[in-house]
Amino acid sequence: MAENYTDPSGNTEAFRAFNQTPEATGPADAPSRLPLIVGAVVVVLLVAVVAWLAMS
């Protein structure tokens, strides 16, 4: 038998332990950009309304 033999069951067990950790489920959720986008749209609309009222 070769000296560099690795036990497949050990690798499988290590993988299963890694796979069941909470960090392995995926990256942390990034904060939502929706409020920023909605706020920018509201500001643009308000500026457009004020400019329209100023011109009439």
Side-chain angles (χ1 to χ4, degrees), residues 34-51:
L34 184 62
L36 179 64
I37 294 170
V38 170
V41 169
V42 168
V43 167
V44 168
L45 288 175
L46 285 175
V47 169
V49 168
V50 168

Side-chain angles (χ1 to χ4, degrees), residues 1-17:
M1 211 172 180
E3 289 183 29
N4 59 359
Y5 175 76
T6 55
D7 183 17
S9 66
N11 291 339
T12 303
E13 183 180 350
F15 173 74
R16 286 181 180 162

